Amino acid sequence: MTDPERSAHQQAGAADTVLTLPGSTPPPPGTPTASGGGRTTGTAVPAFAGARPHDAHPHDGPGGLTLGLDIGGTLIKSALVAPDGTVRSESRCPTRSEDGPDAVLRTVLGHAATALAAARAAGEDVRAVGIASCGLVDEDAGTVVFSASIQWRDLPLRRLASEHLGLPVALGHDVRSGGLAEARLGAGRGHRVVLFVPVGTGVGGALLLDGKPFPGSHWRSTEIGHVVTRPDGTPCPCGQRGCLDTIAGGVAVARRYNERSGARPPVSGAEEVARRAAAGDPAAVRVWAEAADAMAQTLLTAITLFDPAVLVLGGGLSQAGEQLRVPLRRGLEERAAFQALPDIVLAQLGERAGRIGAGLLARDLLAAAGGVRA
């Protein structure tokens, strides 16, 4: 969840959405849209109503395939996921967030329909769809409560997608879905309690218990990036001061380096700061060390609360590898008292984790309905 999503949701009105599909009649002026502002009932035609079912691929096992989609502010990425978690095929397209929330919704549903059509044309048996969305997601209600990056408010995405695609749909949060994939198929496999910490623009978090995401009572569990680490620190857009995001998030690392070094031109991302730190740039070394130290302080709190067996580092900054893991481990060891420190491992599935996790959510949905083995 990005920072503005926390406060903006408090003013978001509950609203279903009228979806205008290609070739359909546009809604009349004033009809509520994906940005909220009223309640109405939308009508959508399943994309594959009456489509002939196909026999399962000989390597699919029970239940055929699922389609997993990962919706980000820039790209929509999808994958056909087999029962063993392997990816059969992948595709992606721009999110079109600059065109507004309705355009994003049409793009998501159109991309999913195209992927399903291609799969069916190839004789694949796709039984369900999973969607992982950025923002604040109520998995139980099947609603994207708020997403600042794509401007959705109280969008009943699960219902709209199911109506449009003619298949069962599971909806999840993008970070929790990525954590799910790492817990079951990646670096956390074989552990009952997994703490997934993707470090990118900000610092995310997901807690996985027995291979299932724990969202919390209000879908805000494990917001590691917004644990206050330096009480008198930099203001955070969430309204607090000194959140971990303001020290160790990718945007903050680049900003802090530019402020200290006076770099001209300024670095555009934390990855460049990591490279300069590895090369011995004094300002980069200090900023990187401070970020790792702040992460160690905050993650020790998470370890104290959750007692994970393994801590999986993901996101773009995890590509720094030992340059991040070594100082983080050292910082934890220096601070730990009675805590049992978890193994610290690097994520294995990379940027594919979100869409693979979405495919796993769809398989869980089928299993709960008695259609397949999980």
Side-chain angles (χ1 to χ4, degrees):
M1 180 172 64
T2 59
D3 302 314
E5 290 160 1
R6 191 185 310 276
S7 58
H9 164 58
Q10 297 172 359
Q11 285 127 40
D16 282 351
T17 301
V18 170
L19 170 65
T20 303
L21 300 176
S24 64
T25 303
T31 299
T33 66
S35 58
R39 181 170 294 278
T40 187
T41 301
T43 302
V45 178
F48 296 104
R52 180 180 65 84
H54 295 279
D55 294 333
H57 190 283
H59 301 297
D60 286 345
L65 303 176
T66 57
L67 175 67
L69 286 87
D70 183 3
I71 305 172
T74 302
L75 291 173
I76 299 164
K77 296 171 283 189
S78 64
L80 284 175
V81 183
D84 63 357
T86 57
V87 172
R88 185 66 54 76
S89 63
E90 299 180 87
S91 57
R92 62 183 63 201
C93 71
T95 304
R96 294 178 57 201
S97 56
E98 69 278 5
D99 294 337
D102 294 326
V104 174
L105 181 59
R106 287 192 294 271
T107 300
V108 168
L109 298 184
H111 179 85
T114 298
L116 284 173
R120 285 170 168 156
E124 303 284 19
D125 177 30
V126 183
R127 300 287 183 86
V129 176
I131 301 175
S133 176
C134 56
L136 181 59
V137 178
D138 181 347
E139 288 97 337
D140 292 337
T143 301
V144 179
V145 180
F146 183 74
S147 177
S149 59
I150 50 181
Q151 305 172 56
W152 282 347
R153 296 175 185 267
D154 295 299
L155 179 70
L157 183 57
R158 182 175 66 196
R159 174 178 65 79
L160 291 171
S162 183
E163 289 175 349
H164 183 50
L165 302 173
L167 287 173
V169 173
L171 178 65
H173 182 265
D174 56 353
V175 174
R176 289 194 286 271
S177 297
L180 169 63
E182 288 290 347
R184 292 192 191 175
L185 303 172
R189 188 171 186 173
H191 297 285
R192 291 191 59 207
V193 183
V194 176
L195 182 60
F196 176 58
V197 182
V199 188
T201 301
V203 183
L207 182 64
L208 294 303
L209 305 176
D210 291 322
K212 296 181 179 180
F214 177 73
S217 299
H218 305 94
W219 334 293
R220 292 165 171 84
S221 172
T222 329
E223 285 281 359
I224 288 173
H226 294 290
V227 174
V228 175
T229 306
R230 304 285 187 266
D232 298 324
T234 303
C236 180
C238 78
Q240 303 182 119
R241 296 184 71 93
C243 291
L244 180 62
D245 266 6
T246 68
I247 306 168
V251 170
V253 168
R255 172 184 55 78
R256 287 161 63 84
Y257 173 76
N258 288 329
E259 290 173 351
R260 293 194 181 188
S261 68
R264 292 291 181 270
V267 301
S268 58
E271 293 82 359
E272 178 60 26
V273 179
R275 286 192 289 269
R276 295 188 183 194
D281 181 320
V285 169
R286 288 196 301 273
V287 168
W288 191 261
E290 290 168 359
D293 187 71
M295 283 189 64
Q297 178 182 339
T298 304
L299 290 175
L300 185 64
T301 299
I303 291 165
T304 304
L305 292 173
F306 304 135
D307 189 27
V310 63
L311 193 163
V312 179
L313 291 174
L317 288 191
S318 70
Q319 300 302 310
E322 296 303 296
Q323 189 182 358
L324 177 61
R325 183 166 64 169
V326 169
L328 178 57
R329 180 76 191 189
R330 182 170 58 246
L332 288 170
E333 290 172 345
E334 291 172 351
R335 289 176 168 84
F338 64 89
Q339 296 90 346
L341 296 182
D343 291 334
I344 302 176
V345 299
L346 301 177
Q348 295 177 355
L349 302 178
E351 56 88 27
R352 306 170 87 192
R355 53 193 181 273
I356 293 174
L360 295 176
L361 287 175
R363 180 153 295 277
D364 287 351
L365 181 66
L366 291 174
V372 299
R373 292 201 302 266

